[in-house]
Amino acid sequence: MKKDFLWWRDGIIYQIYPRSFNDINNNGLGDLAGITARLDYLADLGVDALWLSPFYPTPDADFGYDISNHIDVDPRFGSLQDFDDLLHASHERGIRIILDLVLNHVSNQHPWFQQSRVDSSNPKEDWFIWQDSIPNNWESVFGGKAWTYDEKREQYYYHMFVKEQPDVNWRNPEVRKAQMDVLRFWLERGVDGFRLDVFNVYFKDKELRNNPKKWGRRAFERQHHIYDGDQPEMESVLKEMRSIMNEYPDRYVVGETFFATREKIIRYNGADKLNAAFDFEFLWSKFKPKKFLKAIENWESLAEETQIFPNYVLSNHDSPRPATRYSKSEDDDRAKVIMAMLLTMRGTPFLYYGDEIGMRDISLKRSEIMDPPGIKYWPFNKGRDGCRSPMQWDDSVNAGFSKEKPWLPVHSNYEQRNVALQEKDEDSIFNFTRDLIALRKANKTLISGKIIIPSKMPYKIMSYIREDGDEKILVILNFSNRKRKIDLPVGESWHILFSKHEREGKAEKEMMLLPYEVLFLKNS
Ligand code: TEU
């Protein structure tokens, strides 16, 4: 790789949901040693960094996003020693580690909250947001009022998510310092970066004013969230975090902006703030070129105004997987088209574990649902368990994930859909993904070249040019299940750079694309 390769911008970031990746200690939950054991697989796939969803001690009210100690490892997932081993073994393979920092709230079992609720005169009495009565109309994201009465303290506390996740009071300087110490703890241990969970809601309105109402389905959606997040104080926290990160070389911080908008992305990114903030447009798009193009054009026009480098998220632990969203069968044609698009973007690709083998969501009976919003809103919303099922490694019992009963069921398709089988199958989505990652690495144009979108595209076709100096790569993606004719841009002589259809050599002026064909051409 070239010297100017900046891992978090030019590389591929792979998200692992640790409890579902690989279970070495056979307790039905994945663990850190399990990830270490699969590093060769990840290096072979070609990813540059791993973002690990929380593995800290947690009572599991929100499956790890309710943390009871930010600077330790839950014994079910291993130990700090296992973490150090994972970090070391990853670095040996040139793979960076990004931790998920959840600093908006803690678990109600966290010692901070346990102390704070004792009475209103203890040293941590102001570490959370306490009120004598419910002061406003704020709602919790996962359903119900955002204020819950605490019997011990005889006051209400605020929680944006479930009641077991009290929000900390970022306005208290001691809290702020304690949070920065968490950052330092992990940086000192050698981590390469952080993903900040819902960072933009750390601060709430000082006067706790009512949110204005709007139309929406769920109570939370029936408000304009102008007072329970996005307060001006946030920027100074990002600046402080960035200045701490800058004490270490090549570190990276990406924010999960709660309800990201263009304005928020601009506001929170920058040389002295976040390196990147997610945009979830890809994750919510229908299988239509137009929808994806909108997301790309949005990023590109943003990048023109600012120095922000785009990123593209195909899926994560909160949303249905792309193969589930876009295919009704076990056919991977559509999943491949989307994967090809992700890996040819001018923007950091985020890949969620299992998407490289086209994993599908599991569907659960009501009694099996674990996720709080699923329990609350079933059947209107079945929660997020679907995309969190165990990784499918092989066709042995429990898909090779664990010898014990996994915490969530393995998908019933695992005997036909697993890593071991797909590694051997030339046409698998695994080999397709791995080949495209390698191609991206070998062609700098695909990483950092300009993206040029033609003003008119044939129906159901998405095509764009990546350009760096004289080099041009034309990406053609057939979103249709039919053959489609396309005319190639004139003025260039094109040859085939990538095709799975035994096309070779020079490209014709006019081409007949096969259903769902993925084709890359290069000028010569
Ligand atoms: O997610 C915040 C968030 O945007 C989600 O709650 C989203 O609204 C929901 O998943 C819609 O399906 C982050 C984490 O990614 C999520 O897993 C946590 O539950 C949440 O914060 C609280 O920490």
Side-chain angles (χ1 to χ4, degrees):
M1 192 46 57
K2 300 242 164 52
K3 247 185 146 183
D4 56 0
F5 181 85
L6 185 55
W7 69 270
W8 57 262
R9 186 191 60 195
D10 305 330
I12 286 153
I13 303 182
Y14 183 96
Q15 182 191 354
I16 291 183
Y17 194 67
R19 70 181 63 212
S20 296
F21 197 62
N22 191 25
D23 180 16
I24 288 267
N25 63 8
N26 289 309
N27 60 357
L29 295 167
D31 39 55
L32 296 181
I35 301 173
T36 309
R38 298 290 184 177
L39 283 173
D40 285 336
Y41 165 79
L42 296 163
D44 175 56
L45 180 61
V47 303
D48 300 279
L50 307 178
W51 147 26
L52 308 178
S53 278
F55 51 74
Y56 320 100
T58 171
D60 276 352
D62 188 17
F63 299 97
Y65 285 87
D66 52 316
I67 298 172
S68 51
N69 180 358
H70 290 87
I71 52 169
D72 205 350
V73 174
D74 191 300
R76 295 170 302 162
F77 304 134
S79 61
L80 277 173
Q81 185 58 52
D82 290 331
F83 177 78
D84 292 341
D85 293 346
L86 168 60
L87 191 71
H88 181 72
S90 303
H91 285 171
E92 269 182 350
R93 290 163 177 81
I95 296 177
R96 316 284 175 139
I97 297 289
I98 299 169
L99 298 195
D100 208 321
L101 275 192
V102 187
L103 303 181
N104 174 67
H105 43 267
V106 296
S107 158
N108 59 353
Q109 302 304 312
H110 194 295
W112 295 352
F113 188 72
Q114 286 299 316
Q115 184 172 355
S116 189
R117 69 188 285 246
V118 169
D119 54 35
S120 44
S121 58
N122 74 79
K124 292 201 169 36
E125 68 85 18
D126 182 44
W127 280 44
F128 294 84
I129 305 166
W130 294 101
Q131 290 287 307
D132 289 335
S133 56
I134 296 181
N136 56 29
N137 66 352
W138 295 357
E139 291 282 335
S140 117
V141 182
F142 294 154
K145 286 269 164 263
W147 298 93
T148 290
Y149 187 69
D150 185 80
E151 302 279 345
K152 203 165 187 178
R153 172 129 166 187
E154 298 179 330
Q155 276 186 317
Y156 291 84
Y157 65 90
Y158 174 75
H159 53 91
M160 175 157 246
F161 295 89
V162 291
K163 64 177 192 323
E164 292 83 4
Q165 288 167 300
D167 284 39
V168 300
N169 179 14
W170 267 91
R171 293 183 185 280
N172 181 321
E174 287 174 22
V175 170
R176 184 166 170 151
K177 184 181 172 301
Q179 303 277 48
M180 296 301 165
D181 287 347
V182 173
L183 230 78
R184 287 190 187 279
F185 174 86
W186 290 110
L187 286 167
E188 282 300 314
R189 267 200 128 76
V191 305
D192 303 284
F194 300 111
R195 173 255 186 201
L196 300 182
D197 191 68
V198 295
F199 74 91
N200 59 316
V201 298
Y202 289 179
F203 288 90
K204 343 296 172 190
D205 179 45
K206 236 183 191 159
E207 296 162 41
L208 306 175
R209 279 172 283 188
N210 279 324
N211 280 325
K213 294 196 178 102
K214 72 171 178 74
W215 185 88
R217 273 207 290 193
R218 291 188 296 152
F220 187 82
E221 289 156 10
R222 287 198 293 271
Q223 297 184 358
H224 286 290
H225 293 280
I226 59 172
Y227 292 126
D228 51 355
D230 293 303
Q231 300 301 299
E233 292 84 353
M234 191 54 219
E235 279 153 83
S236 79
V237 166
L238 292 180
K239 286 183 181 164
E240 186 177 347
M241 286 180 167
R242 186 64 184 269
S243 72
I244 294 174
M245 311 270 306
N246 285 346
E247 293 170 26
Y248 304 80
D250 274 354
R251 296 307 197 265
Y252 165 70
V253 54
V254 55
E256 183 207 27
T257 324
F258 196 53
F259 297 132
T261 60
R262 201 185 154 81
E263 293 67 35
K264 290 187 204 174
I265 290 176
I266 296 177
R267 177 166 157 195
Y268 297 125
N269 271 260
D272 59 348
K273 293 182 249 177
L274 294 173
N275 297 94
F278 290 134
D279 170 52
F280 292 138
E281 212 46 56
F282 262 33
L283 201 137
W284 294 326
S285 291
K286 292 206 173 112
F287 192 74
K288 289 190 173 158
K290 246 194 184 162
K291 299 279 176 192
F292 292 109
L293 278 173
K294 207 183 111 204
I296 299 168
E297 278 163 356
N298 193 26
W299 263 128
E300 285 303 313
S301 66
L302 246 173
E304 239 169 60
E305 279 172 41
T306 64
Q307 290 307 304
I308 301 172
F309 193 71
N311 62 74
Y312 290 94
V313 182
L314 206 52
S315 56
N316 64 24
H317 64 292
D318 290 334
S319 310
R321 289 177 177 275
T324 301
R325 299 199 302 264
Y326 303 132
S327 336
K328 288 199 180 74
S329 66
E330 283 290 319
D331 199 298
D332 285 334
D333 284 348
R334 284 178 161 218
K336 284 180 181 171
V337 168
I338 298 297
M339 185 65 83
M341 183 181 66
L342 176 79
L343 294 173
T344 52
M345 282 296 109
R346 196 191 80 87
T348 315
F350 278 81
L351 205 60
Y352 182 53
Y353 86 94
D355 282 349
E356 72 276 23
I357 56 164
M359 271 174 62
R360 267 60 173 171
D361 284 31
I362 48 168
S363 57
L364 297 174
K365 289 193 232 118
R366 185 175 192 174
S367 59
E368 293 173 317
I369 289 180
M370 309 274 256
D371 187 33
I375 292 170
K376 172 105 188 163
Y377 290 115
W378 196 94
F380 161 66
N381 174 343
K382 293 186 177 162
R384 302 164 295 177
D385 300 314
C387 64
R388 299 175 177 176
S389 68
M391 179 71 175
Q392 296 164 209
W393 293 105
D394 56 42
D395 63 4
S396 69
V397 65
N398 299 324
F401 163 75
S402 174
K403 293 199 172 63
E404 286 304 316
K405 185 172 181 255
W407 76 288
L408 277 178
V410 172
H411 197 291
S412 57
N413 67 7
Y414 80 91
E415 285 177 352
Q416 293 78 40
R417 184 177 293 287
N418 60 59
V419 170
L421 266 183
Q422 291 204 11
E423 278 177 336
K424 284 184 262 163
D425 172 4
E426 229 182 272
D427 288 332
S428 68
I429 183 164
F430 171 79
N431 278 313
F432 179 87
T433 305
R434 192 174 60 164
D435 290 353
L436 286 189
I437 292 176
L439 192 80
R440 184 175 172 97
K441 294 222 158 120
N443 289 274
K444 196 168 160 269
T445 302
L446 285 178
I447 297 175
S448 52
K450 275 194 288 190
I451 180 160
I452 301 165
I453 298 166
S455 52
K456 242 180 100 191
M457 251 180 246
Y459 182 57
K460 291 206 174 176
I461 304 278
M462 185 153 164
S463 78
Y464 41 88
I465 293 179
R466 303 291 314 275
E467 183 185 284
D468 189 10
D470 291 337
E471 188 172 276
K472 289 186 182 148
I473 296 176
L474 174 61
V475 177
I476 306 171
L477 307 170
N478 185 1
F479 273 65
S480 149
N481 59 357
R482 299 204 180 162
K483 287 186 175 180
R484 304 247 160 216
K485 206 176 77 188
I486 50 149
D487 296 318
L488 298 184
V490 289
E492 297 286 349
S493 144
W494 299 102
H495 69 264
I496 293 170
L497 177 67
F498 177 86
S499 165
K500 286 279 179 199
H501 295 286
E502 289 169 20
R503 291 183 188 272
E504 264 176 36
K506 276 191 97 172
E508 308 298 327
K509 284 201 175 75
E510 191 185 275
M511 293 190 91
M512 185 59 88
L513 296 177
L514 298 168
Y516 297 121
E517 180 159 2
V518 167
L519 178 65
F520 303 169
L521 306 174
K522 195 169 177 174
N523 66 342
S524 46

